[in-house]
């Protein structure tokens, strides 16, 4: 996995000169490449790729125009990169993805000094400094922001840029795979529902946050404040064109804010709960997790269910679980919503067609009995037909 980090640097005067000179040269080359291709086009000649331009520049142009030899004074990797960037701008234009490449203006452009790791000592990064090819050790303003080489992180490449007199380094880091945890060889099935938020096949149950005292109290309070707000609106209507109108209006604003704040508070608690659930589930490091493909849209259409479903944030849960699984290398299995996870006996495999929503206990003729949702979570865990998210 690759990750990029950008942070401010504190270069010496000498380094600043070098950076500015490199960026200036790169801008010149970028513009030169565009101008040269324009000229070729006008003469009816073939378009030049970055590679052939580089060959032409070194073997032909610089030989005949030694006054331009200063191009060679700066990092050749960086110069090459600016040709590639200009070439990319052209290919985007050819594919009709962007307009004709424009010349980069001094001080107004995003030209950067590019560097790449060529030998083992390049791009070495310590807590307080980074070794940038052609610049040497450069001080970092924020110590320890970029993961250090000693911790096992390798910087592959990066850029130095300047904005409003400040200098920044941006690096691309290869994050070692050891960061992915060793997974256990069990899987988890999760039955999501309205009674409990989640019943997990390892026996853990996650509560429905909306049934907690805390949320209930806040919901009650919210209702009270909302009622108060609508009363105030009524009041305003009655007082229409009367002196007290303005005061009532301010009063309403205050009340609107109160209601909004409560909404936020409740929403935050719900999101928190989702995050906690996701983290606690992946903490057990299962090699896979199976959930049902919830028909959230369908449930939302049901008037009685829609509020309960929306407030449980099932969709957010699934999105976050999926992201976490990807990050940690776990497989997220999605079972078709027609899979009879609740009606299947986990012991003998028979299907109980007359299972009602009110049946909290699953009792089978084979003698097996278990909590209905727990039985469903076991069936989800052992499902053999699924797609991978
Ligand atoms: Zn059975």
């Amino acid at each position: 996995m690759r990750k990029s980090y950008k942070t401010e640097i504190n270069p010496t005067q000498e380094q600043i000169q070098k950076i500015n000179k490199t960026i200036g040269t790169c801008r010149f080359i970028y513009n030169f490449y565009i101008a040269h291709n324009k000229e070729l086009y006008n003469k009816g000649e073939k378009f030049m790729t970055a590679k052939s331009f580089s060959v032409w520049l070194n073997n032909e142009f610089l030989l005949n125009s030694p006054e331009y030899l200063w191009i060679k004074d700066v990092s050749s990797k960086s110069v090459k990169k600016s040709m590639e960037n200009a070439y990319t701008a052209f290919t985007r234009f050819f594919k009709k993805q962007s307009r004709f490449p424009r010349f980069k203006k001094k001080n107004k452009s995003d030209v950067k000094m590019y560097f790449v790791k060529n030998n083992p000592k390049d791009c070495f990064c310590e807590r307080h400094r980074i070794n940038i090819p052609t610049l040497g050790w450069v001080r970092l303003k924020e110590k320890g922001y970029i993961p250090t080489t000693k911790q096992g992180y390798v910087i592959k490449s990066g850029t130095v840029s300047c904005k409003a007199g400040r200098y920044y380094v941006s690096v691309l880091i290869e994050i070692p795979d050891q960061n992915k945890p060793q997974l256990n060889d069990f899987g988890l099935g999760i039955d999501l529902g309205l009674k409990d938020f989640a019943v997990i096949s390892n026996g853990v149950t996650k509560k429905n946050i909306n049934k907690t005292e805390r949320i209930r109290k806040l919901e009650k309070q919210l209702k009270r404040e909302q009622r108060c707000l609508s009363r105030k609106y009524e009041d305003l209507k009655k007082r229409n064109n009367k002196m007290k109108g303005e005061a009532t209006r301010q009063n309403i604003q205050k009340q609107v804010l109160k209601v909004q704040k409560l909404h936020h508070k409740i929403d935050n608690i719900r999101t928190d709960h989702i995050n906690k659930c996701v983290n606690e589930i992946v903490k057990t490091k299962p090699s896979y997790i199976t959930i049902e493909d919830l028909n959230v849209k369908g449930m939302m259409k049901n008037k009685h269910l829609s509020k309960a479903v929306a407030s449980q944030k099932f969709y957010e849960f699934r999105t976050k679980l999926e992201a976490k699984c990807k990050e940690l290398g776990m497989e997220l299995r999605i079972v078709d919503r027609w899979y009879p996870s609740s009606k299947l006996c986990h012991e003998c495999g028979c299907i109980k067609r007359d299972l009602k929503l009110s049946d909290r206990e699953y009792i089978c003729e084979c003698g097996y009995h278990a909590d209905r949702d727990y039985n469903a979570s076991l069936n989800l865990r052992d499902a053999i037909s699924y797609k991978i998210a």
Side-chain angles (χ1 to χ4, degrees), residues 345 347-348 350 364 366 368:
C345 169
E347 195 62 37
C348 72
C350 72
C364 184
C366 73
Y368 169 84

Side-chain angles (χ1 to χ4, degrees), residues 219-233:
E219 286 275 16
K220 252 185 213 160
Q221 201 182 338
L222 179 65
K223 265 201 190 115
R224 217 164 33 232
E225 302 295 356
Q226 274 168 333
R227 266 200 303 272
C228 176
L229 180 63
S230 45
R231 258 200 315 275
K232 285 187 163 108
Y233 275 121

Side-chain angles (χ1 to χ4, degrees), residues 125-130 138-144 148:
C125 188
E126 293 175 1
R127 258 181 68 74
H128 62 297
R129 58 179 192 168
I130 177 170
V138 182
R139 278 171 294 163
L140 297 167
K141 271 212 170 156
E142 192 183 331
K143 293 182 183 73
T148 63

